[in-house]
Amino acid sequence: MQEMIGRKESCASGQLPMTYLSCLAYILEEWIAVEYLKKYFFHMVIISLTISAMLIFFIVPLTILFFIYLTNVLLLIYQRNDEVKAAKDPLSNVWDSARKTVASFWDIYARIWHGYELHGVENLPEGPGILVYYHGAIPIDYLYFLSRLFLWKKRLCLSVADHFVFRLPGLKLLLEVTGVMPGTREECLSALKNGHLVSISPGGVREALFSDESYQLMWGNRKGFAQVALDAKVPIIPMYTQNVREGYRMFKERRFFRKLYESTRLPFTPPYGGLPVKFRTYIGEPIPYDPNITTDELVEKTKTAVQALIKKHQTIPGSIWKALMDRFDRHRKSD
């Protein structure tokens, strides 16, 4: 550095400890550096802003994943309690204290980040029933619902999840204590027989990955939930969360990821977003058990009920800006 300053002063003062050729070379070197910065400065700013935006859009989904694993760690610590060790059933009441702690944490997160509201709890039956809901890119809204339901009603709703969820390392205890299951016909019938609510999203991972701000249901030919409802003679309750697609989204380019999913049944498409948009979960009126209805008819009836909730409570196509402004709208749509 001192050598560079000395060279600059020598050239500027007209003194000749340096040759004219050396001085010219130094000035040319300095000029090229300035021109280089001028030429690429705009590109550097754009690249920096792009990287920053990517970090912002991915950091919230990653934070949610971190909190989920942290929740599992807390349950592992709680499991060291002697009374809990003696309990063989992860759904037993001895876990209620831990469930309340976990539910309180997620409910606080829901209130702060998404101003979360839950409407229509009075539509849930006192006994068993099947909740059918629209699957967002990240079902964080469903986690909020489970937490709020437990805190309000001290009631556990068992959840049918995709098989890949059970391959995720380090989440076994969390899945067991919160009642997440693969959802075979026998498991669902047993849970309903024991008086539990059971929830399922017929669209599942496919709907999470490939639906968009148009909120199109992607149930395909799935109708097992309807058959279980008829066999168990229980009602089906539709449910939907407003702005769930504005909170978290999937990339528009889906052809490659669609082929990848159809061949592996694994969700390789990364979600992004995490903006603090308003979330409101609406529970619709139950569809009562009807012995004279067919499985196909019940599927269509349920689909119509979920679509009616979407039509009533969601701006289509979804708007991130409007979803953000909903945080300040105290006059929500009527239930």
Side-chain angles (χ1 to χ4, degrees):
M1 178 65 74
Q2 289 179 349
E3 181 184 349
M4 187 179 293
I5 293 171
R7 288 168 62 191
K8 185 175 180 179
E9 289 176 347
S10 298
C11 287
S13 63
Q15 300 174 2
L16 296 176
M18 297 175 63
T19 66
Y20 283 113
L21 189 59
S22 298
C23 214
L24 182 62
Y26 169 73
I27 293 170
L28 185 62
E29 177 186 328
E30 190 176 57
W31 177 80
I32 289 173
V34 171
E35 288 300 309
Y36 181 85
L37 287 175
K38 285 181 179 179
K39 182 178 180 181
Y40 292 101
F41 179 74
F42 178 75
H43 297 81
M44 291 169 64
V45 170
I46 293 299
I47 291 171
S48 299
L49 290 175
T50 302
I51 293 173
S52 299
M54 289 177 66
L55 288 174
I56 291 170
F57 277 113
F58 286 108
I59 197 167
V60 176
L62 290 174
T63 301
I64 290 172
L65 185 62
F66 169 76
F67 283 149
I68 288 173
Y69 273 95
L70 180 61
T71 300
N72 192 77
V73 171
L74 293 175
L75 292 177
L76 287 170
I77 295 171
Y78 185 81
Q79 193 180 31
R80 299 173 66 87
N81 184 296
D82 292 336
E83 184 182 359
V84 175
K85 283 181 180 179
K88 301 297 182 183
D89 183 9
L91 297 180
S92 67
N93 293 338
V94 297
W95 284 98
D96 279 355
S97 179
R99 289 191 187 103
K100 185 176 180 181
T101 301
V102 170
S104 297
F105 168 80
W106 283 107
D107 192 60
I108 291 170
Y109 184 92
R111 288 175 187 272
I112 293 173
W113 197 250
H114 288 297
Y116 182 69
E117 297 176 11
L118 176 59
H119 304 283
V121 177
E122 66 278 3
N123 289 326
L124 293 175
E126 292 296 327
I130 296 180
L131 270 164
V132 175
Y133 64 96
Y134 174 82
H135 202 305
I138 297 179
I140 187 68
D141 61 303
Y142 177 69
L143 182 54
Y144 295 165
F145 159 74
L146 292 178
S147 301
R148 187 70 58 88
L149 179 66
F150 188 81
L151 292 175
W152 281 5
K153 300 291 184 180
K154 202 178 179 181
R155 191 171 188 187
L156 197 61
C157 178
L158 307 192
S159 312
V160 175
D162 193 274
H163 292 289
F164 94 89
V165 173
F166 301 93
R167 301 181 202 173
L168 296 174
L171 293 180
K172 185 174 184 292
L173 182 60
L174 175 62
L175 297 177
E176 290 177 348
V177 172
T178 54
V180 180
M181 56 185 181
T184 63
R185 180 178 178 277
E186 291 72 22
E187 284 177 312
C188 291
L189 286 174
S190 175
L192 293 167
K193 184 179 179 181
N194 291 328
H196 288 293
L197 286 172
V198 174
S199 64
I200 183 170
S201 173
V205 177
R206 183 178 286 104
E207 192 168 87
L209 298 179
F210 307 115
S211 185
D212 54 24
E213 58 270 25
S214 67
Y215 289 87
Q216 178 186 3
L217 299 182
M218 304 184 73
W219 292 9
N221 196 35
R222 293 185 176 180
K223 50 189 177 183
F225 72 92
Q227 187 59 57
V228 169
L230 291 174
D231 292 342
K233 300 180 181 180
V234 298
I236 289 178
I237 307 97
M239 186 170 72
Y240 167 73
T241 299
Q242 183 186 52
N243 298 326
V244 66
R245 280 281 164 184
E246 280 56 69
Y248 304 89
R249 289 187 172 182
M250 293 293 181
F251 289 103
K252 290 289 186 182
E253 179 49 55
R254 298 181 180 134
R255 188 176 302 172
F256 170 74
F257 288 114
R258 184 68 179 262
K259 288 181 179 178
L260 196 59
Y261 171 73
E262 297 298 346
S263 60
T264 65
R265 286 294 189 271
L266 293 174
F268 287 105
T269 312
Y272 68 93
L275 294 173
V277 302
K278 184 71 175 181
F279 276 3
R280 296 186 182 101
T281 294
Y282 293 95
I283 301 171
E285 294 183 2
I287 302 169
Y289 166 69
D290 181 356
N292 299 316
I293 198 173
T294 66
T295 302
D296 289 336
E297 288 171 338
L298 185 54
V299 170
E300 287 305 313
K301 202 169 183 179
T302 305
K303 185 180 290 187
T304 299
V306 175
Q307 288 172 331
L309 286 176
I310 295 173
K311 184 177 180 180
K312 181 178 181 181
H313 300 292
Q314 183 64 54
T315 300
I316 297 177
S319 164
I320 292 177
W321 175 251
K322 185 181 183 303
L324 287 169
M325 291 300 99
D326 282 346
R327 291 295 299 268
F328 307 100
D329 180 14
R330 296 185 179 276
H331 304 287
R332 63 175 177 79
K333 293 182 181 180
S334 61
D335 294 346

mmCIF file of all heavy atoms in Angstrom, residues 237-274:
data_model
loop_
_atom_site.group_PDB
_atom_site.id
_atom_site.type_symbol
_atom_site.label_atom_id
_atom_site.label_comp_id
_atom_site.label_asym_id
_atom_site.label_seq_id
_atom_site.Cartn_x
_atom_site.Cartn_y
_atom_site.Cartn_z
ATOM 1 N N ILE A 237 -66.369 -33.191 7.008
ATOM 2 C CA ILE A 237 -66.379 -31.750 7.266
ATOM 3 C C ILE A 237 -65.352 -31.086 6.358
ATOM 4 O O ILE A 237 -64.150 -31.398 6.427
ATOM 5 C CB ILE A 237 -66.046 -31.439 8.737
ATOM 6 C CG1 ILE A 237 -66.956 -32.223 9.668
ATOM 7 C CG2 ILE A 237 -66.181 -29.947 9.002
ATOM 8 C CD1 ILE A 237 -66.352 -33.506 10.193
ATOM 9 N N PRO A 238 -65.769 -30.179 5.457
ATOM 10 C CA PRO A 238 -64.827 -29.490 4.568
ATOM 11 C C PRO A 238 -64.082 -28.391 5.315
ATOM 12 O O PRO A 238 -64.621 -27.769 6.237
ATOM 13 C CB PRO A 238 -65.729 -28.905 3.484
ATOM 14 C CG PRO A 238 -67.038 -28.667 4.186
ATOM 15 C CD PRO A 238 -67.169 -29.765 5.206
ATOM 16 N N MET A 239 -62.836 -28.137 4.899
ATOM 17 C CA MET A 239 -62.031 -27.098 5.551
ATOM 18 C C MET A 239 -61.098 -26.455 4.524
ATOM 19 O O MET A 239 -60.612 -27.109 3.611
ATOM 20 C CB MET A 239 -61.211 -27.702 6.697
ATOM 21 C CG MET A 239 -60.446 -26.681 7.531
ATOM 22 S SD MET A 239 -59.724 -27.403 9.040
ATOM 23 C CE MET A 239 -58.392 -28.382 8.348
ATOM 24 N N TYR A 240 -60.859 -25.175 4.711
ATOM 25 C CA TYR A 240 -60.007 -24.426 3.772
ATOM 26 C C TYR A 240 -59.366 -23.237 4.490
ATOM 27 O O TYR A 240 -59.995 -22.606 5.349
ATOM 28 C CB TYR A 240 -60.838 -23.921 2.589
ATOM 29 C CG TYR A 240 -60.106 -22.903 1.767
ATOM 30 C CD1 TYR A 240 -59.059 -23.298 0.938
ATOM 31 C CD2 TYR A 240 -60.403 -21.545 1.859
ATOM 32 C CE1 TYR A 240 -58.352 -22.356 0.210
ATOM 33 C CE2 TYR A 240 -59.704 -20.612 1.127
ATOM 34 C CZ TYR A 240 -58.682 -21.027 0.308
ATOM 35 O OH TYR A 240 -57.965 -20.110 -0.392
ATOM 36 N N THR A 241 -58.109 -22.930 4.135
ATOM 37 C CA THR A 241 -57.420 -21.779 4.714
ATOM 38 C C THR A 241 -57.209 -20.702 3.660
ATOM 39 O O THR A 241 -56.585 -20.945 2.623
ATOM 40 C CB THR A 241 -56.055 -22.181 5.314
ATOM 41 O OG1 THR A 241 -56.277 -23.129 6.364
ATOM 42 C CG2 THR A 241 -55.339 -20.960 5.882
ATOM 43 N N GLN A 242 -57.726 -19.521 3.955
ATOM 44 C CA GLN A 242 -57.612 -18.370 3.051
ATOM 45 C C GLN A 242 -56.152 -17.923 2.925
ATOM 46 O O GLN A 242 -55.421 -17.858 3.910
ATOM 47 C CB GLN A 242 -58.463 -17.230 3.622
ATOM 48 C CG GLN A 242 -58.518 -15.988 2.769
ATOM 49 C CD GLN A 242 -59.259 -14.869 3.490
ATOM 50 O OE1 GLN A 242 -58.944 -14.538 4.626
ATOM 51 N NE2 GLN A 242 -60.265 -14.309 2.833
ATOM 52 N N ASN A 243 -55.729 -17.651 1.693
ATOM 53 C CA ASN A 243 -54.398 -17.106 1.355
ATOM 54 C C ASN A 243 -53.246 -18.087 1.560
ATOM 55 O O ASN A 243 -52.076 -17.682 1.564
ATOM 56 C CB ASN A 243 -54.101 -15.831 2.167
ATOM 57 C CG ASN A 243 -55.067 -14.717 1.869
ATOM 58 O OD1 ASN A 243 -55.537 -14.571 0.745
ATOM 59 N ND2 ASN A 243 -55.394 -13.923 2.884
ATOM 60 N N VAL A 244 -53.547 -19.365 1.691
ATOM 61 C CA VAL A 244 -52.467 -20.322 1.961
ATOM 62 C C VAL A 244 -51.463 -20.374 0.806
ATOM 63 O O VAL A 244 -50.265 -20.602 1.013
ATOM 64 C CB VAL A 244 -53.059 -21.723 2.263
ATOM 65 C CG1 VAL A 244 -53.746 -22.326 1.047
ATOM 66 C CG2 VAL A 244 -51.979 -22.652 2.792
ATOM 67 N N ARG A 245 -51.929 -20.121 -0.426
ATOM 68 C CA ARG A 245 -51.021 -20.128 -1.587
ATOM 69 C C ARG A 245 -50.241 -18.829 -1.722
ATOM 70 O O ARG A 245 -49.240 -18.779 -2.433
ATOM 71 C CB ARG A 245 -51.811 -20.377 -2.873
ATOM 72 C CG ARG A 245 -52.162 -21.813 -3.113
ATOM 73 C CD ARG A 245 -51.007 -22.596 -3.663
ATOM 74 N NE ARG A 245 -51.232 -24.025 -3.539
ATOM 75 C CZ ARG A 245 -50.360 -24.952 -3.868
ATOM 76 N NH1 ARG A 245 -49.171 -24.604 -4.332
ATOM 77 N NH2 ARG A 245 -50.633 -26.230 -3.715
ATOM 78 N N GLU A 246 -50.709 -17.788 -1.071
ATOM 79 C CA GLU A 246 -49.964 -16.530 -1.113
ATOM 80 C C GLU A 246 -48.845 -16.528 -0.082
ATOM 81 O O GLU A 246 -47.874 -15.793 -0.207
ATOM 82 C CB GLU A 246 -50.914 -15.347 -0.864
ATOM 83 C CG GLU A 246 -51.717 -14.937 -2.084
ATOM 84 C CD GLU A 246 -52.530 -16.068 -2.667
ATOM 85 O OE1 GLU A 246 -53.499 -16.523 -2.049
ATOM 86 O OE2 GLU A 246 -52.171 -16.517 -3.787
ATOM 87 N N GLY A 247 -49.012 -17.337 0.957
ATOM 88 C CA GLY A 247 -47.960 -17.439 1.966
ATOM 89 C C GLY A 247 -46.760 -18.211 1.456
ATOM 90 O O GLY A 247 -45.606 -17.803 1.642
ATOM 91 N N TYR A 248 -47.037 -19.321 0.779
ATOM 92 C CA TYR A 248 -45.967 -20.195 0.293
ATOM 93 C C TYR A 248 -46.361 -20.713 -1.089
ATOM 94 O O TYR A 248 -47.502 -21.123 -1.300
ATOM 95 C CB TYR A 248 -45.752 -21.371 1.254
ATOM 96 C CG TYR A 248 -45.460 -20.906 2.665
ATOM 97 C CD1 TYR A 248 -46.504 -20.679 3.563
ATOM 98 C CD2 TYR A 248 -44.162 -20.658 3.084
ATOM 99 C CE1 TYR A 248 -46.254 -20.220 4.843
ATOM 100 C CE2 TYR A 248 -43.898 -20.206 4.362
ATOM 101 C CZ TYR A 248 -44.946 -19.978 5.236
ATOM 102 O OH TYR A 248 -44.699 -19.521 6.493
ATOM 103 N N ARG A 249 -45.401 -20.703 -1.999
ATOM 104 C CA ARG A 249 -45.681 -21.104 -3.378
ATOM 105 C C ARG A 249 -44.618 -22.063 -3.903
ATOM 106 O O ARG A 249 -43.567 -22.238 -3.291
ATOM 107 C CB ARG A 249 -45.764 -19.875 -4.289
ATOM 108 C CG ARG A 249 -47.008 -19.028 -4.050
ATOM 109 C CD ARG A 249 -47.157 -17.916 -5.061
ATOM 110 N NE ARG A 249 -48.445 -17.248 -4.931
ATOM 111 C CZ ARG A 249 -48.858 -16.264 -5.701
ATOM 112 N NH1 ARG A 249 -48.064 -15.817 -6.670
ATOM 113 N NH2 ARG A 249 -50.049 -15.714 -5.517
ATOM 114 N N MET A 250 -44.947 -22.648 -5.063
ATOM 115 C CA MET A 250 -44.003 -23.501 -5.785
ATOM 116 C C MET A 250 -43.608 -22.801 -7.082
ATOM 117 O O MET A 250 -44.331 -21.932 -7.572
ATOM 118 C CB MET A 250 -44.642 -24.862 -6.100
ATOM 119 C CG MET A 250 -44.916 -25.712 -4.875
ATOM 120 S SD MET A 250 -43.385 -26.256 -4.076
ATOM 121 C CE MET A 250 -44.054 -27.223 -2.719
ATOM 122 N N PHE A 251 -42.483 -23.202 -7.652
ATOM 123 C CA PHE A 251 -42.013 -22.598 -8.892
ATOM 124 C C PHE A 251 -42.969 -22.908 -10.042
ATOM 125 O O PHE A 251 -43.580 -23.970 -10.091
ATOM 126 C CB PHE A 251 -40.606 -23.087 -9.232
ATOM 127 C CG PHE A 251 -39.548 -22.531 -8.328
ATOM 128 C CD1 PHE A 251 -39.004 -23.313 -7.325
ATOM 129 C CD2 PHE A 251 -39.126 -21.215 -8.451
ATOM 130 C CE1 PHE A 251 -38.036 -22.802 -6.478
ATOM 131 C CE2 PHE A 251 -38.171 -20.690 -7.611
ATOM 132 C CZ PHE A 251 -37.615 -21.485 -6.620
ATOM 133 N N LYS A 252 -43.069 -21.950 -10.971
ATOM 134 C CA LYS A 252 -43.995 -22.084 -12.094
ATOM 135 C C LYS A 252 -43.584 -23.185 -13.061
ATOM 136 O O LYS A 252 -44.422 -23.863 -13.638
ATOM 137 C CB LYS A 252 -44.080 -20.752 -12.853
ATOM 138 C CG LYS A 252 -44.780 -19.636 -12.094
ATOM 139 C CD LYS A 252 -46.255 -19.878 -11.993
ATOM 140 C CE LYS A 252 -46.960 -18.689 -11.361
ATOM 141 N NZ LYS A 252 -48.418 -18.928 -11.218
ATOM 142 N N GLU A 253 -42.278 -23.340 -13.281
ATOM 143 C CA GLU A 253 -41.805 -24.364 -14.210
ATOM 144 C C GLU A 253 -41.973 -25.738 -13.561
ATOM 145 O O GLU A 253 -41.220 -26.111 -12.667
ATOM 146 C CB GLU A 253 -40.329 -24.124 -14.566
ATOM 147 C CG GLU A 253 -39.742 -25.156 -15.519
ATOM 148 C CD GLU A 253 -40.595 -25.416 -16.738
ATOM 149 O OE1 GLU A 253 -40.928 -24.468 -17.455
ATOM 150 O OE2 GLU A 253 -40.936 -26.596 -16.952
ATOM 151 N N ARG A 254 -42.981 -26.484 -14.027
ATOM 152 C CA ARG A 254 -43.336 -27.709 -13.319
ATOM 153 C C ARG A 254 -43.177 -28.978 -14.137
ATOM 154 O O ARG A 254 -43.332 -30.070 -13.602
ATOM 155 C CB ARG A 254 -44.788 -27.612 -12.834
ATOM 156 C CG ARG A 254 -44.989 -26.473 -11.841
ATOM 157 C CD ARG A 254 -46.419 -26.420 -11.380
ATOM 158 N NE ARG A 254 -46.577 -25.329 -10.424
ATOM 159 C CZ ARG A 254 -47.548 -24.460 -10.452
ATOM 160 N NH1 ARG A 254 -48.449 -24.532 -11.393
ATOM 161 N NH2 ARG A 254 -47.636 -23.498 -9.557
ATOM 162 N N ARG A 255 -42.914 -28.861 -15.420
ATOM 163 C CA ARG A 255 -42.887 -30.055 -16.269
ATOM 164 C C ARG A 255 -41.858 -31.071 -15.791
ATOM 165 O O ARG A 255 -42.164 -32.252 -15.615
ATOM 166 C CB ARG A 255 -42.593 -29.649 -17.720
ATOM 167 C CG ARG A 255 -42.743 -30.793 -18.707
ATOM 168 C CD ARG A 255 -42.525 -30.307 -20.125
ATOM 169 N NE ARG A 255 -43.475 -29.241 -20.465
ATOM 170 C CZ ARG A 255 -43.414 -28.544 -21.581
ATOM 171 N NH1 ARG A 255 -42.448 -28.773 -22.461
ATOM 172 N NH2 ARG A 255 -44.307 -27.607 -21.823
ATOM 173 N N PHE A 256 -40.641 -30.577 -15.546
ATOM 174 C CA PHE A 256 -39.568 -31.475 -15.090
ATOM 175 C C PHE A 256 -39.898 -32.057 -13.716
ATOM 176 O O PHE A 256 -39.787 -33.262 -13.480
ATOM 177 C CB PHE A 256 -38.243 -30.713 -15.043
ATOM 178 C CG PHE A 256 -37.136 -31.469 -14.360
ATOM 179 C CD1 PHE A 256 -36.514 -32.532 -14.989
ATOM 180 C CD2 PHE A 256 -36.731 -31.119 -13.073
ATOM 181 C CE1 PHE A 256 -35.494 -33.245 -14.353
ATOM 182 C CE2 PHE A 256 -35.719 -31.810 -12.435
ATOM 183 C CZ PHE A 256 -35.102 -32.875 -13.080
ATOM 184 N N PHE A 257 -40.329 -31.178 -12.784
ATOM 185 C CA PHE A 257 -40.618 -31.632 -11.424
ATOM 186 C C PHE A 257 -41.830 -32.568 -11.393
ATOM 187 O O PHE A 257 -41.901 -33.477 -10.558
ATOM 188 C CB PHE A 257 -40.859 -30.429 -10.506
ATOM 189 C CG PHE A 257 -39.613 -29.650 -10.195
ATOM 190 C CD1 PHE A 257 -39.456 -28.348 -10.646
ATOM 191 C CD2 PHE A 257 -38.589 -30.222 -9.456
ATOM 192 C CE1 PHE A 257 -38.312 -27.626 -10.361
ATOM 193 C CE2 PHE A 257 -37.433 -29.510 -9.156
ATOM 194 C CZ PHE A 257 -37.299 -28.213 -9.605
ATOM 195 N N ARG A 258 -42.777 -32.350 -12.315
ATOM 196 C CA ARG A 258 -43.956 -33.224 -12.381
ATOM 197 C C ARG A 258 -43.541 -34.632 -12.792
ATOM 198 O O ARG A 258 -43.980 -35.627 -12.187
ATOM 199 C CB ARG A 258 -44.970 -32.647 -13.367
ATOM 200 C CG ARG A 258 -46.294 -33.432 -13.444
ATOM 201 C CD ARG A 258 -47.063 -33.295 -12.162
ATOM 202 N NE ARG A 258 -48.330 -34.004 -12.193
ATOM 203 C CZ ARG A 258 -49.499 -33.432 -12.447
ATOM 204 N NH1 ARG A 258 -49.564 -32.136 -12.703
ATOM 205 N NH2 ARG A 258 -50.615 -34.136 -12.429
ATOM 206 N N LYS A 259 -42.682 -34.725 -13.800
ATOM 207 C CA LYS A 259 -42.191 -36.037 -14.236
ATOM 208 C C LYS A 259 -41.402 -36.708 -13.127
ATOM 209 O O LYS A 259 -41.512 -37.918 -12.906
ATOM 210 C CB LYS A 259 -41.315 -35.876 -15.486
ATOM 211 C CG LYS A 259 -42.084 -35.525 -16.754
ATOM 212 C CD LYS A 259 -41.148 -35.418 -17.946
ATOM 213 C CE LYS A 259 -41.928 -35.083 -19.215
ATOM 214 N NZ LYS A 259 -41.006 -34.938 -20.391
ATOM 215 N N LEU A 260 -40.606 -35.901 -12.430
ATOM 216 C CA LEU A 260 -39.790 -36.435 -11.334
ATOM 217 C C LEU A 260 -40.673 -36.961 -10.215
ATOM 218 O O LEU A 260 -40.430 -38.046 -9.652
ATOM 219 C CB LEU A 260 -38.861 -35.333 -10.807
ATOM 220 C CG LEU A 260 -37.677 -35.761 -9.930
ATOM 221 C CD1 LEU A 260 -36.761 -36.712 -10.681
ATOM 222 C CD2 LEU A 260 -36.894 -34.532 -9.470
ATOM 223 N N TYR A 261 -41.735 -36.214 -9.898
ATOM 224 C CA TYR A 261 -42.629 -36.657 -8.822
ATOM 225 C C TYR A 261 -43.391 -37.918 -9.220
ATOM 226 O O TYR A 261 -43.515 -38.861 -8.423
ATOM 227 C CB TYR A 261 -43.631 -35.553 -8.468
ATOM 228 C CG TYR A 261 -44.713 -36.044 -7.530
ATOM 229 C CD1 TYR A 261 -44.418 -36.295 -6.193
ATOM 230 C CD2 TYR A 261 -46.011 -36.291 -7.987
ATOM 231 C CE1 TYR A 261 -45.390 -36.783 -5.330
ATOM 232 C CE2 TYR A 261 -46.983 -36.772 -7.133
ATOM 233 C CZ TYR A 261 -46.675 -37.012 -5.808
ATOM 234 O OH TYR A 261 -47.626 -37.497 -4.960
ATOM 235 N N GLU A 262 -43.907 -37.955 -10.450
ATOM 236 C CA GLU A 262 -44.697 -39.095 -10.884
ATOM 237 C C GLU A 262 -43.873 -40.379 -10.926
ATOM 238 O O GLU A 262 -44.398 -41.474 -10.726
ATOM 239 C CB GLU A 262 -45.311 -38.835 -12.262
ATOM 240 C CG GLU A 262 -46.286 -37.665 -12.308
ATOM 241 C CD GLU A 262 -47.512 -37.863 -11.414
ATOM 242 O OE1 GLU A 262 -47.751 -38.996 -10.973
ATOM 243 O OE2 GLU A 262 -48.226 -36.875 -11.165
ATOM 244 N N SER A 263 -42.562 -40.241 -11.141
ATOM 245 C CA SER A 263 -41.704 -41.432 -11.208
ATOM 246 C C SER A 263 -41.162 -41.854 -9.843
ATOM 247 O O SER A 263 -40.866 -43.028 -9.624
ATOM 248 C CB SER A 263 -40.530 -41.187 -12.162
ATOM 249 O OG SER A 263 -39.742 -40.093 -11.713
ATOM 250 N N THR A 264 -41.029 -40.911 -8.916
ATOM 251 C CA THR A 264 -40.437 -41.232 -7.608
ATOM 252 C C THR A 264 -41.412 -41.113 -6.448
ATOM 253 O O THR A 264 -41.164 -41.664 -5.378
ATOM 254 C CB THR A 264 -39.250 -40.301 -7.318
ATOM 255 O OG1 THR A 264 -39.719 -38.945 -7.193
ATOM 256 C CG2 THR A 264 -38.214 -40.371 -8.429
ATOM 257 N N ARG A 265 -42.507 -40.337 -6.651
ATOM 258 C CA ARG A 265 -43.463 -40.005 -5.592
ATOM 259 C C ARG A 265 -42.794 -39.265 -4.430
ATOM 260 O O ARG A 265 -43.220 -39.363 -3.287
ATOM 261 C CB ARG A 265 -44.143 -41.272 -5.073
ATOM 262 C CG ARG A 265 -45.176 -41.848 -6.036
ATOM 263 C CD ARG A 265 -46.354 -40.867 -6.187
ATOM 264 N NE ARG A 265 -47.465 -41.423 -6.911
ATOM 265 C CZ ARG A 265 -47.628 -41.382 -8.231
ATOM 266 N NH1 ARG A 265 -46.698 -40.803 -8.975
ATOM 267 N NH2 ARG A 265 -48.679 -41.903 -8.793
ATOM 268 N N LEU A 266 -41.751 -38.494 -4.766
ATOM 269 C CA LEU A 266 -41.059 -37.689 -3.765
ATOM 270 C C LEU A 266 -41.143 -36.214 -4.164
ATOM 271 O O LEU A 266 -40.990 -35.872 -5.337
ATOM 272 C CB LEU A 266 -39.588 -38.108 -3.637
ATOM 273 C CG LEU A 266 -39.345 -39.500 -3.062
ATOM 274 C CD1 LEU A 266 -37.857 -39.846 -3.135
ATOM 275 C CD2 LEU A 266 -39.831 -39.605 -1.626
ATOM 276 N N PRO A 267 -41.369 -35.306 -3.222
ATOM 277 C CA PRO A 267 -41.542 -33.879 -3.532
ATOM 278 C C PRO A 267 -40.210 -33.139 -3.649
ATOM 279 O O PRO A 267 -39.725 -32.547 -2.692
ATOM 280 C CB PRO A 267 -42.345 -33.371 -2.330
ATOM 281 C CG PRO A 267 -41.904 -34.240 -1.207
ATOM 282 C CD PRO A 267 -41.605 -35.586 -1.806
ATOM 283 N N PHE A 268 -39.634 -33.156 -4.852
ATOM 284 C CA PHE A 268 -38.355 -32.486 -5.051
ATOM 285 C C PHE A 268 -38.503 -30.984 -5.307
ATOM 286 O O PHE A 268 -37.526 -30.250 -5.246
ATOM 287 C CB PHE A 268 -37.609 -33.120 -6.235
ATOM 288 C CG PHE A 268 -37.047 -34.489 -5.923
ATOM 289 C CD1 PHE A 268 -37.658 -35.627 -6.421
ATOM 290 C CD2 PHE A 268 -35.928 -34.618 -5.129
ATOM 291 C CE1 PHE A 268 -37.149 -36.891 -6.139
ATOM 292 C CE2 PHE A 268 -35.414 -35.872 -4.840
ATOM 293 C CZ PHE A 268 -36.025 -37.011 -5.345
ATOM 294 N N THR A 269 -39.707 -30.532 -5.626
ATOM 295 C CA THR A 269 -39.912 -29.110 -5.907
ATOM 296 C C THR A 269 -39.767 -28.292 -4.622
ATOM 297 O O THR A 269 -40.509 -28.515 -3.662
ATOM 298 C CB THR A 269 -41.309 -28.860 -6.485
ATOM 299 O OG1 THR A 269 -41.568 -29.796 -7.529
ATOM 300 C CG2 THR A 269 -41.424 -27.441 -7.032
ATOM 301 N N PRO A 270 -38.816 -27.345 -4.570
ATOM 302 C CA PRO A 270 -38.635 -26.575 -3.335
ATOM 303 C C PRO A 270 -39.674 -25.468 -3.195
ATOM 304 O O PRO A 270 -39.928 -24.722 -4.143
ATOM 305 C CB PRO A 270 -37.232 -25.978 -3.499
ATOM 306 C CG PRO A 270 -37.047 -25.866 -4.983
ATOM 307 C CD PRO A 270 -37.817 -26.996 -5.602
ATOM 308 N N PRO A 271 -40.313 -25.350 -2.040
ATOM 309 C CA PRO A 271 -41.249 -24.236 -1.813
ATOM 310 C C PRO A 271 -40.489 -22.961 -1.501
ATOM 311 O O PRO A 271 -39.333 -23.000 -1.072
ATOM 312 C CB PRO A 271 -42.050 -24.707 -0.596
ATOM 313 C CG PRO A 271 -41.094 -25.577 0.152
ATOM 314 C CD PRO A 271 -40.232 -26.245 -0.890
ATOM 315 N N TYR A 272 -41.127 -21.843 -1.735
ATOM 316 C CA TYR A 272 -40.511 -20.565 -1.380
ATOM 317 C C TYR A 272 -41.597 -19.638 -0.844
ATOM 318 O O TYR A 272 -42.783 -19.925 -0.939
ATOM 319 C CB TYR A 272 -39.826 -19.931 -2.596
ATOM 320 C CG TYR A 272 -40.764 -19.467 -3.683
ATOM 321 C CD1 TYR A 272 -41.230 -18.159 -3.723
ATOM 322 C CD2 TYR A 272 -41.188 -20.344 -4.684
ATOM 323 C CE1 TYR A 272 -42.098 -17.727 -4.724
ATOM 324 C CE2 TYR A 272 -42.051 -19.928 -5.689
ATOM 325 C CZ TYR A 272 -42.498 -18.619 -5.702
ATOM 326 O OH TYR A 272 -43.355 -18.203 -6.681
ATOM 327 N N GLY A 273 -41.188 -18.534 -0.281
ATOM 328 C CA GLY A 273 -42.153 -17.567 0.240
ATOM 329 C C GLY A 273 -41.975 -17.349 1.726
ATOM 330 O O GLY A 273 -40.874 -17.146 2.216
ATOM 331 N N GLY A 274 -43.083 -17.423 2.443
ATOM 332 C CA GLY A 274 -43.034 -17.160 3.871
ATOM 333 C C GLY A 274 -43.406 -15.739 4.229
ATOM 334 O O GLY A 274 -43.108 -15.263 5.323
#
